[in-house]
Amino acid sequence: MTNLSKKKKVGLLVGVTIFILVIGAGLTYGRTHEVAQPNMLRVEPQEVIQRIALVGRIEPSVLVTMSAPFDGSIVQIHAEEGLKVERDQLLASFDPSNLEIQLREALAVKLKAERSVQEFDKWAQSSEVMRAKRTLTGIQFNLSDTEHKLAETRLLFEQGIVPKMELDTLVQQQKSLKLDAQAADVELQAVIAKAHGDARRIAEMELANAQAKYETLQAQLARKEVRAPFAGVIVRVPSNSAENTSTETIQVGGNVRRDQPLFGLANLEQLKVTAKVDEVDVNRLHEGMNVDITGDGFEGVPLTGQITRIASQSSTSSEGSGARYDISVSIPKLLPEQRKQMRLGMSANLSVIAYKNPSAVVVPASAIHAKDGRYYVRIVGKSQHQVTMKPVTLGRSLENGVEVNGLPTGIEIVY
């Protein structure tokens, strides 16, 4: 009896185990063949903005080299590297003694040249013209007197009162005086013509040269005080300056040559940002695009600039790396409060909107199907069980999908 009971228990346990295994296998089979439910998405327009982020440096838009206006010695110097200066602030002054001597000499030459031109303006009353006229008048008077005597002598000769020799002598005098009169008239016309000839042009050119030299020296003298043409900061003479060949120390009492570089002045009223853009993005930019500018060094001073230059040739890059192109972004004129926070060389973060569509249609990449060179999206028809293939054209690839054209808004797609 006991053995029979044990056999029944064992059989019951085996049966339960087999039942559990069969049920588990059935559940596993069901899960393995479960059909995945499709995803559905209602198409709604959305704003799409693609930005290009760059990092650049703050630089002056204008960097000029301040130079000595003339040869002389330095009287005052109020400029040192790193010093911020305001517009029209005195930077240096020079001793103009030697220049004033040159200016007086140039004025004397100018006055003489002016007198020469004035003589030609009144040439008809000049002594040379008057002398030529007197000569011609004297000859004409003698000719008239000779002709009168000749007429009287001819009458006397016809009456046999005077010899023929006397008549011939007066005839020769008449001919000679006529030639002299013609020559004197030609000389008078030549003298009058000087008022409009080469002599006048030479006098006018000499006056023009004297005037130009005098004005140049006056302009140099007016610059005996070198003042800042704009608000900025004193910097060392730019290394690419063609005149930067002197190693002399600029100090009070030192002699300088005309146009000798003294120091550089960087414009802080108008700044720019220079950066490099990768070859992948360079063709997405163009001059005139707005740029948002921020920086850790001038936090709280957001700025908006514009791209003013995109290099046509890539800058030097290491072998194997992609080409990079220099760009310049102008910064609008800063307010005094803003200028206080800006320093040359600060890093700046640039954000450029390379693409913007306020009503773009974006679908997941998995919702797009390609067939025979065309692209389609499955859309739900009037009935939830009706699905059709709608042809679309692809736009830009985005982080959250692909922009497509050709889908009406409000419909549902299946993917």
Side-chain angles (χ1 to χ4, degrees):
M1 187 69 180
T2 302
N3 292 333
L4 183 59
S5 178
K6 288 181 179 181
K7 288 181 180 181
K8 287 182 179 181
K9 289 181 179 180
V10 171
L12 181 60
L13 182 60
V14 171
V16 170
T17 301
I18 293 173
F19 178 76
I20 292 173
L21 292 175
V22 170
I23 294 298
L27 292 175
T28 301
Y29 178 82
R31 283 196 301 270
T32 303
H33 291 77
E34 182 178 356
V35 179
Q37 295 297 321
N39 294 319
M40 301 183 66
L41 175 68
R42 179 175 293 275
V43 175
E44 298 292 348
Q46 57 182 285
E47 185 179 50
V48 170
I49 297 177
Q50 283 188 319
R51 292 180 176 269
I52 297 176
L54 304 170
V55 178
R57 295 284 178 185
I58 301 292
E59 294 184 3
S61 60
V62 177
L63 179 60
V64 299
T65 300
M66 309 301 293
S67 57
F70 49 80
D71 296 346
S73 60
I74 300 176
V75 176
Q76 300 179 74
I77 187 78
H78 302 288
E80 59 183 18
E81 187 175 336
L83 178 67
K84 286 187 177 182
V85 297
E86 298 298 327
R87 180 189 292 269
D88 203 38
Q89 181 174 328
L90 179 64
L91 304 178
S93 61
F94 302 84
D95 181 9
S97 300
N98 292 333
L99 184 64
E100 289 173 344
I101 295 174
Q102 297 177 36
L103 188 63
R104 289 191 292 270
E105 293 175 347
L107 178 58
V109 174
K110 173 177 169 290
L111 293 175
K112 290 178 182 178
E114 287 177 347
R115 185 173 60 188
S116 297
V117 173
Q118 289 172 359
E119 288 178 356
F120 283 107
D121 291 336
K122 300 178 180 179
W123 187 246
Q125 291 80 36
S126 68
S127 60
E128 192 170 348
V129 173
M130 292 292 102
R131 185 167 53 252
K133 285 183 176 181
R134 285 194 301 269
T135 301
L136 177 60
T137 302
I139 294 173
Q140 288 174 339
F141 179 79
N142 291 333
L143 177 61
S144 176
D145 184 61
T146 300
E147 288 176 343
H148 180 71
K149 289 180 179 181
L150 178 61
E152 292 178 347
T153 303
R154 182 173 284 111
L155 289 174
L156 294 173
F157 173 73
E158 291 175 352
Q159 297 175 5
I161 299 174
V162 297
K164 187 174 185 301
M165 181 181 297
E166 186 174 346
L167 179 64
D168 292 340
T169 301
L170 289 175
V171 171
Q172 291 298 325
Q173 288 181 358
Q174 181 193 34
K175 291 180 179 179
S176 177
L177 288 172
K178 282 184 177 180
L179 292 175
D180 290 344
Q182 291 176 357
D185 184 64
V186 171
E187 183 178 355
L188 175 60
Q189 297 306 318
V191 172
I192 293 175
K194 285 184 179 180
H196 307 287
D198 292 340
R200 181 185 179 90
R201 287 196 293 270
I202 291 172
E204 290 175 343
M205 288 187 291
E206 289 176 346
L207 175 59
N209 292 340
Q211 183 74 29
K213 183 175 181 180
Y214 180 72
E215 291 176 354
T216 299
L217 293 173
Q218 275 190 319
Q220 292 178 9
L221 184 61
R223 293 174 53 209
K224 65 181 180 181
E225 291 184 344
V226 175
R227 295 182 176 272
F230 44 76
V233 61
I234 302 297
V235 297
R236 67 175 60 93
V237 177
S239 58
N240 60 349
S241 173
E243 300 87 4
N244 187 23
T245 58
S246 175
T247 58
E248 300 175 17
T249 302
I250 306 301
Q251 58 185 358
V252 174
N255 292 323
V256 292
R257 306 180 310 277
R258 179 186 173 187
D259 295 331
Q260 177 180 334
L262 303 174
F263 42 79
L265 181 63
N267 189 351
L268 294 184
E269 294 180 346
Q270 188 73 43
L271 300 176
K272 67 178 180 180
V273 179
T274 58
K276 294 182 183 296
V277 60
D278 193 85
E279 61 183 347
V280 176
D281 296 322
V282 68
N283 287 327
R284 300 172 64 189
L285 303 178
H286 60 80
E287 295 179 359
M289 294 181 73
N290 292 330
V291 182
D292 295 328
I293 306 170
T294 58
D296 296 335
F298 48 97
E299 189 175 2
V301 187
L303 302 170
T304 300
Q306 281 192 338
I307 297 177
T308 56
R309 185 184 71 89
I310 302 175
S312 301
Q313 185 175 0
S314 65
S315 56
T316 305
S317 59
S318 58
E319 186 177 354
S321 62
R324 294 170 65 82
Y325 296 82
D326 295 328
I327 68 168
S328 295
V329 178
S330 65
I331 299 177
K333 188 174 182 179
L334 301 174
L335 299 174
E337 296 77 12
Q338 295 174 321
R339 198 161 59 238
K340 290 178 181 178
Q341 301 188 50
M342 308 293 288
R343 293 183 179 274
L344 301 180
M346 280 185 170
S347 61
N349 302 315
L350 308 180
S351 179
V352 188
I353 297 179
Y355 177 73
K356 182 178 181 179
N357 187 347
S359 57
V361 174
V362 181
V363 301
S366 58
I368 299 174
H369 303 274
K371 182 179 180 181
D372 298 332
R374 301 186 65 184
Y375 298 94
Y376 300 87
V377 173
R378 299 169 63 195
I379 64 173
V380 179
K382 296 181 180 180
S383 170
Q384 291 290 332
H385 302 288
Q386 182 181 0
V387 177
T388 59
M389 301 293 284
K390 175 71 174 177
V392 295
T393 56
L394 304 185
R396 295 175 179 263
S397 297
L398 309 170
E399 294 181 359
N400 59 336
V402 179
E403 181 184 9
V404 298
N405 299 307
L407 279 183
T409 60
I411 66 171
E412 292 185 332
I413 64 172
V414 181
Y415 65 99

